[in-house]
Amino acid sequence: ASRPLKLLISFIAMVFFGLGNKVFQKVMTIPMKNYPFFLNLYTTLIYIPVSFAYIFPMLWAGRISAAERAVPQRTFIVMGLLDGIASLMQVYAVTKIASGSLLILLSQSAIPISMVISRLLLKTTYSVMQYFGAVVVMVGISVVLYPDLAHPDGSNDGETTPLQTVLWSGVMMLSCLPMALSSVYKEQALADVDMDAVYLNGYIAIYQFLSLIPASIPAAYAQGMGLEEIPQSLHDGFECYIGHNTVTNATNPYDNDNCETAPFDVNVYLCFNIMYNLLMILILKYGSANILFLALTVMVPLGNFAFALPWVPGHQVLGPNDYAGLFTIMAGLVAYRFAGPLLACCSGK
């Protein structure tokens, strides 16, 4: 196939698997709502055998260079710790925030946060349009959150109050901080090494999983559990993952397990997530960063509309503030990712 056709196929695949990843990241938390910590542990653990199924043959064949193998384990430990903190914050936020559309918009806060971190630690310079786009993105997020901020004591979805939505939205946005720090650290620590992405992710997954074990203490408090209840919660989480309900007589009916769809939802998410990450690696290595940016931008409105479809679990109708925030954030994303090159092209530079 010609290069343009390959790039088109890559773009369509990236949008498809990226959209599936975004949708099922939320959908899987609906049946697993009582077990976010187990969910985070399991979805991290699964990456270890998947990655090393590739790493071991590559090591045996000598395809992993001496420079890659010489990267000290402490480097992977730092990356795993930062990624572990980010993933733990995100899975709790995703579980607690009812609106999948809101989650997609909140994730765009990674742009201004990563800009600040890169500017402070790497002295990265940005164009005026990039700064403008980042500010517009934050304005758009504020527009979406305004109803919850204006009426923090009102009713929302019956399980999460508007005030709780705002607080968990803050957690979701703050999760971008360790994520950005991890990206900056990877850029610094691996600047002189052409690292195989799967080899890198495999070792990060090991230390990310290990970092989540002590994180069970604050995670338990976040769920209102005592430390002695953690083993039972992990057991019940596994039971829920295989479709068995264990909490059936809760005082609040919402707190009862509803695990029937969990095996399908969680495993479909893992398939989408693995393919999505693999495609990102391949596009960046063999394609174009512009295709990746375009796909990521297109996924924002498509993801919002997907969560408004009546057959999507947990769907919600988009309101005026959702549309206004989506439009504002899209304007910010286009300004951040594409305005500079377009202006330069139009001016003949």
Side-chain angles (χ1 to χ4, degrees), residues 120 168 255:
L120 292 175
W168 283 110
D255 293 331

Side-chain angles (χ1 to χ4, degrees), residues 5 17 61 71 121 128 164 167 175 178 225 231 264 281 293 303 319 330:
L5 180 59
F17 285 104
V71 174
L121 299 182
V128 172
Q164 289 173 325
L167 292 175
S175 72
M225 289 192 311
F264 176 81
I281 293 169
F293 290 150
M330 285 302 299

Side-chain angles (χ1 to χ4, degrees), residues 43-181:
T43 53
T44 301
L45 177 64
I46 204 71
Y47 259 90
I48 298 175
V50 169
S51 297
F52 278 86
Y54 164 89
I55 292 170
F56 285 138
M58 291 299 102
L59 287 171
W60 181 266
R63 301 291 295 273
I64 305 297
S65 69
E68 291 172 284
R69 299 195 304 273
V71 174
Q73 291 297 304
R74 65 176 178 273
T75 301
F76 298 126
I77 291 173
V78 173
M79 296 172 185
L81 178 61
L82 290 170
D83 288 352
I85 294 170
S87 68
L88 186 64
M89 295 172 72
Q90 285 176 4
V91 77
Y92 271 84
V94 170
T95 302
K96 300 297 183 180
I97 296 172
S99 171
S101 300
L102 176 58
L103 288 166
I104 289 177
L105 297 179
L106 289 172
S107 65
Q108 307 312 309
S109 61
I111 289 175
I113 290 174
S114 63
M115 285 179 68
V116 172
I117 297 298
S118 296
R119 178 63 180 167
L120 292 175
L121 299 182
L122 297 179
K123 309 303 180 186
T124 304
T125 57
Y126 295 96
S127 68
V128 172
M129 290 306 298
Q130 286 178 308
Y131 283 117
F132 173 75
V135 171
V136 172
V137 165
M138 293 308 296
V139 170
I141 291 173
S142 301
V143 169
V144 176
L145 289 176
Y146 175 75
D148 293 322
L149 289 167
H151 306 286
D153 299 320
S155 62
N156 193 0
D157 54 27
E159 296 88 34
T160 305
T161 67
L163 179 59
Q164 289 173 325
T165 297
V166 172
L167 292 175
W168 283 110
S169 295
V171 172
M172 185 70 179
M173 288 189 285
L174 283 175
S175 72
C176 297
L177 183 59
M179 190 168 60
L181 286 170

Side-chain angles (χ1 to χ4, degrees), residues 285-306:
K285 192 166 186 178
Y286 300 108
S288 166
N290 288 331
I291 289 181
L292 178 61
F293 290 150
L294 183 60
L296 292 173
T297 304
V298 168
M299 279 189 276
V300 174
L302 290 180
N304 274 260
F305 295 134

Side-chain angles (χ1 to χ4, degrees), residues 32-39 41 92 216 219-220 223-241 244 246-247 257:
M32 297 287 295
K33 63 182 183 296
N34 291 328
Y35 310 105
F37 185 67
F38 168 83
L39 195 57
L41 271 176
Y92 271 84
S216 62
Q223 285 185 256
M225 289 192 311
L227 298 183
E228 70 281 359
E229 299 177 82
I230 293 175
Q232 185 63 47
S233 177
L234 291 174
H235 171 269
D236 293 348
F238 179 76
E239 289 290 323
C240 187
Y241 166 66
H244 299 161
T246 54
V247 179
D257 281 349

